[in-house]
Amino acid sequence: MSLPEPIQRAIEAFAALPGIGPKSASRLTFYLLREQSAALRDTLAEAIRGLNDVAYCQQCFNFTEAGQPLCPVCRDPHRDDGLICVVEEPLDVEAIERTGVYRGQYHVLHGALSPIEGIGPDDLKIRELLARVQAGRVHEVIIATNPSMEGDATAMYLHRLLAPLGIKVTRLARGLPVGGDLEYADQNTLRGALVERKEM
Amino acid sequence: MRLLRLSLQNFRNYVRLDEETPRGVLLLVGANAQGKTNLLEAIYYLATFASFRARHDRDLVHFDAPGWGCPAVGRIVAEFQREGELRPRRLEVRLIREPNGIGDTQCRRLRREVLVDGMKKKLTEAMGLFNAVLFLPRMTELVTAAPEGRRRYLNMVLSQVYPAYAQALTAYRQALTRRNALLKTLQEQGGDPAQLDYWDAELARWGAPLIAWRAEALAQWELLIRESHWHLTRNAETLRLSYHPSFHPLLEGSLQREAENNQVLTQVPVEQIAFAFHRALVRRREEAIARGTTTIGPHRDDFCFRNNKKALALYGSRGQMRTAVLALKMVEMQWMERRTGRKPVLLLDEILAELDAERRANLQAHIVQSEQVWLTTTDVEGFAPDFVRQSTVWRLDAGVVSPVSAGGDQS
């Protein structure tokens, strides 16, 4: 390749991102090289540098700005600090926030127990969760790990640890998607919906 | 049931094949390595969604032609008529070889798509639509070789008959892989054994129905096999089949395993098997952690043949083994027909050459009752002229089929 070195470096950097192959990486790079893109280049560079200042919230382990020990949710005095929703990833917090109905706090595990990837309890923020619950005040923990094998294994493990502490432990219900068609629901989902049906 | 039409594209040595397939006996004649067995492999794939001989499914896709791009798509398409149905069904399997990451020019990743009557379906939904029974050469290996071969055989037959079998097997294997990985970690690095709780429960949940189905099938086969084997040996010998589950819910901790348990085990409800299996997994955790693997469960099951109460694998002659396997295959045909209400398509690979005249006549009498039989041979002279006259003969030459003659009294 006879491209100038800075261009090659930019392409390689883009290609290192998930979901971006060499073609997309070149396209992005050449888009940024256009004269009109000068401002965008600066904004991007600044934004990416800004990511270095992001830290973990010391309570829930979601992301927070540097210099702030707690994230906006944990700082909010109107939220119920006796209710904790446990999720795998920070993006899961965003998803639940978008529903607009949850007024408690969160705890981000940063993954799920995965025997295949060798991720055990010590690799997740599980000890921190227990410490939070043991400190008092918490009356319910909602486990919102993914409905996958790994997510379920994590949920069961957490339940075992939390149940002896005398608090309420719940798990997100499994059911049919809104606007879905019963006929096309897969067996496992339908089975879950039947088992976890609700009295009207 | 029978195939009405078979099309292959980039499957093994078939770049393209599209043939109407006749009722009755179809003789595939050709020298070695011309693609006779590949045809049977393609057809059996439609029944089990697994190859009976490839290590990786990607090896099934014809991939050596120069200038062929990646991805490459192998395709098996069949139209087949099931008994009692008005219209033929159409089953299509696409084996798509894709690059596994950048720079993989060998296209190592395989993706499968299954279409039923033109609609994409999950594999488990297409399982059982098409049924086939396969006779392979060197069939005495089923008796003498390692238990893995017998388990694979059970899986291929049972997944065609019990609709949820394949799904349970997949879930069981997934849970087993994870449990074993966790056991290995606990063995090497230590850690909280409570992490096993979930995997123990999953293993019991999916393993219990596997044990129950295997017990039921083998118990039913045993009843059928006596008759078929007596017939083959002119009442001289008694053949028994016994299921040896690696975990037996009634004989926990004991090594005594009697053939009689076949029938007894079918009386145990699946919930009870799950409960006992789960308890055993929990009890043997220490042993499992020490070994770094799951020591009991359907992944270690076996079954065995006994001839006049003696283990056939140890005391049987080659002739006795051959007769036993032949009896089992006939039972498989019968049983599948009883359970599904449809006659399976028969696939016989070079099988008649291994049999003596009497057994061959016996088998031929059986197979002609089927709606469709595919037979491969290198030498058409080995068959009785009458049999050949009534059969359709195709000559196979390097993946190209040329019909030689149509069946005499059929069309």
Side-chain angles (χ1 to χ4, degrees):
Chain A
M1 230 195 293
S2 58
L3 289 170
E5 212 221 306
I7 299 184
Q8 284 187 38
R9 249 192 307 166
I11 292 176
E12 275 166 35
F14 277 121
L17 294 170
I20 297 198
K23 283 224 175 88
S24 305
S26 317
R27 218 168 287 145
L28 289 170
T29 306
F30 282 99
Y31 181 83
L32 289 173
L33 280 169
R34 301 180 320 162
E35 221 161 294
Q36 307 93 294
S37 300
L40 181 58
R41 279 201 300 273
D42 291 340
T43 320
L44 268 176
E46 210 173 308
I48 291 171
R49 243 193 320 275
L51 291 179
N52 292 333
D53 297 332
V54 174
Y56 288 131
C57 168
Q58 288 173 15
Q59 183 165 288
C60 74
F61 297 93
N62 196 354
F63 292 119
T64 180
E65 290 162 52
Q68 291 280 6
L70 296 182
C71 69
V73 173
C74 289
R75 282 201 304 264
D76 187 344
H78 301 297
R79 297 192 74 123
D80 180 355
D81 59 359
L83 184 61
I84 297 181
C85 179
V86 181
V87 295
E88 291 182 19
E89 300 293 344
L91 275 177
D92 300 333
V93 172
E94 296 312 303
I96 293 178
E97 281 298 283
R98 274 198 301 273
T99 65
V101 297
Y102 181 66
R103 297 304 300 160
Q105 293 185 334
Y106 292 95
H107 192 88
V108 184
L109 296 172
H110 290 278
L113 292 177
S114 169
I116 290 192
E117 289 167 45
I119 297 175
D122 295 342
D123 303 308
L124 305 176
K125 304 290 178 195
I126 290 181
R127 213 175 300 128
E128 291 81 352
L129 173 66
L130 283 182
R132 245 178 114 178
V133 173
Q134 276 160 341
R137 285 263 268 287
V138 176
H139 58 82
E140 180 178 350
V141 171
I142 304 171
I143 301 178
T145 50
N146 289 331
S148 61
M149 269 193 163
E150 277 76 11
D152 284 345
T154 311
M156 190 170 184
Y157 184 73
L158 289 178
H159 176 252
R160 245 188 78 100
L161 293 179
L162 294 168
L165 302 179
I167 51 157
K168 190 169 162 191
V169 182
T170 53
R171 173 102 168 90
L172 285 193
R174 273 176 202 211
L176 296 163
V178 177
D181 209 327
L182 205 66
E183 189 189 347
Y184 292 113
D186 75 288
Q187 287 171 23
N188 279 328
T189 307
L190 200 51
R191 197 177 300 131
L194 263 174
V195 171
E196 299 185 20
R197 70 186 182 277
K198 242 177 155 171
E199 200 173 326
M200 295 176 67
Chain B
M1 64 178 73
R2 70 182 181 103
L3 289 180
L4 304 171
R5 182 176 208 98
L6 179 69
S7 311
L8 301 180
Q9 213 181 317
N10 299 328
F11 183 88
R12 293 280 195 186
N13 67 335
Y14 293 91
V15 174
R16 191 173 281 272
L17 170 128
D18 187 18
E19 293 288 337
E20 280 181 25
T21 54
R23 185 187 288 278
V25 177
L26 181 58
L27 272 174
L28 307 171
V29 187
N32 288 322
Q34 301 305 312
K36 301 189 298 291
T37 307
N38 295 348
L39 264 188
L40 302 191
E41 185 180 29
I43 299 170
Y44 202 57
Y45 200 96
L46 298 170
T48 58
F49 299 103
S51 161
F52 61 78
R53 58 185 185 149
R55 188 191 274 260
H56 301 291
D57 272 7
R58 64 164 186 260
D59 298 337
L60 301 174
V61 183
H62 182 86
F63 189 67
D64 50 16
W68 276 61
C70 189
V73 182
R75 204 187 300 265
I76 314 170
V77 190
E79 275 170 37
F80 56 101
Q81 182 68 51
R82 299 174 14 131
E83 290 92 330
E85 291 189 355
L86 288 175
R87 266 173 307 167
R89 308 293 293 259
R90 187 172 189 276
L91 188 55
E92 172 171 353
V93 176
R94 295 177 187 157
L95 302 161
I96 305 160
R97 269 182 87 148
E98 294 172 322
N100 188 14
I102 301 157
D104 174 18
T105 52
Q106 288 301 305
C107 270
R108 284 194 190 82
R109 191 168 62 198
L110 186 97
R111 187 159 57 83
R112 288 194 294 192
E113 288 178 358
V114 177
L115 289 86
V116 177
D117 298 328
M119 300 273 282
K120 252 190 223 179
K121 294 278 176 186
K122 279 190 195 157
L123 202 125
T124 46
E125 294 174 304
M127 196 72 86
L129 268 183
F130 177 73
N131 300 121
V133 171
L134 176 72
F135 293 69
L136 288 175
R138 295 184 304 277
M139 56 184 175
T140 52
E141 279 175 9
L142 188 65
V143 180
T144 55
E148 196 201 341
R150 286 184 288 279
R151 282 195 296 272
R152 191 175 330 124
Y153 169 72
L154 278 181
N155 292 340
M156 285 194 160
V157 178
L158 269 49
S159 59
Q160 292 187 52
V161 169
Y162 299 109
Y165 187 93
Q167 195 193 358
L169 187 65
T170 307
Y172 181 82
R173 283 180 177 153
Q174 281 176 351
L176 183 67
T177 312
R178 286 160 177 79
R179 187 176 193 264
N180 285 345
L182 182 55
L183 287 169
K184 196 115 208 125
T185 311
L186 294 174
Q187 180 198 33
E188 287 165 0
Q189 302 162 23
D192 188 353
Q195 292 177 75
L196 286 166
D197 287 359
Y198 178 78
W199 305 111
D200 291 354
E202 282 290 287
L203 235 59
R205 174 181 169 204
W206 298 109
L210 294 177
I211 296 173
W213 283 317
R214 287 174 180 179
E216 181 184 272
L218 279 159
Q220 292 175 355
W221 295 357
E222 194 183 16
L223 295 179
L224 294 170
I225 207 167
R226 284 186 202 163
E227 196 186 328
S228 117
H229 189 255
W230 270 16
H231 192 62
L232 283 169
T233 60
R234 300 173 183 274
N235 302 2
E237 294 170 14
T238 312
L239 184 70
R240 309 209 54 172
L241 265 184
S242 50
Y243 176 37
H244 292 187
S246 140
F247 168 73
H248 196 303
L250 300 176
L251 296 175
E252 205 177 327
S254 140
L255 290 172
Q256 163 211 1
R257 284 169 180 166
E258 290 298 323
E260 277 69 28
N261 295 320
N262 259 3
Q263 308 298 333
V264 177
L265 191 48
T266 57
Q267 306 299 315
V268 184
V270 68
E271 295 78 22
Q272 197 180 323
I273 301 178
F275 179 80
F277 183 27
H278 184 252
R279 195 178 47 191
L281 285 168
V282 174
R283 274 193 195 153
R284 297 190 190 191
R285 267 184 191 176
E286 249 175 72
E287 180 197 343
I289 293 172
R291 293 224 218 150
T293 189
T294 302
T295 52
I296 49 165
H299 62 292
R300 297 232 167 151
D301 280 358
D302 198 0
F303 68 94
C304 119
F305 299 83
R306 277 169 206 278
N307 202 355
N308 291 341
K309 297 196 172 166
K310 284 195 190 126
L312 197 61
L314 298 176
Y315 301 104
S317 72
R318 194 150 287 269
Q320 285 176 316
M321 291 182 196
R322 222 168 255 160
T323 309
V325 177
L326 200 56
L328 178 65
K329 297 309 282 189
M330 293 193 180
V331 162
E332 186 186 329
M333 286 158 53
Q334 251 180 315
W335 182 73
M336 214 177 255
E337 185 181 341
R338 266 188 210 185
R339 297 287 314 213
T340 63
R342 289 179 286 271
K343 284 186 198 296
V345 168
L346 304 188
L347 309 168
L348 290 83
D349 193 14
E350 298 280 353
I351 200 73
L352 294 178
E354 287 187 19
L355 302 174
D356 59 36
E358 195 184 330
R359 294 200 183 98
R360 183 187 291 203
N362 199 311
L363 179 61
Q364 284 183 358
H366 257 85
I367 61 177
V368 291
Q369 294 166 18
S370 293
E371 285 201 43
Q372 195 173 49
V373 185
W374 296 64
L375 275 163
T376 70
T377 183
T378 45
D379 177 21
V380 74
E381 308 297 319
F383 293 93
D386 268 356
F387 185 79
V388 176
R389 216 170 298 130
Q390 288 177 17
S391 311
T392 303
V393 180
W394 285 4
R395 193 160 289 283
L396 265 66
D397 197 7
V400 177
V401 167
S402 26
V404 177
S405 71
D409 54 351
Q410 293 146 350
S411 55

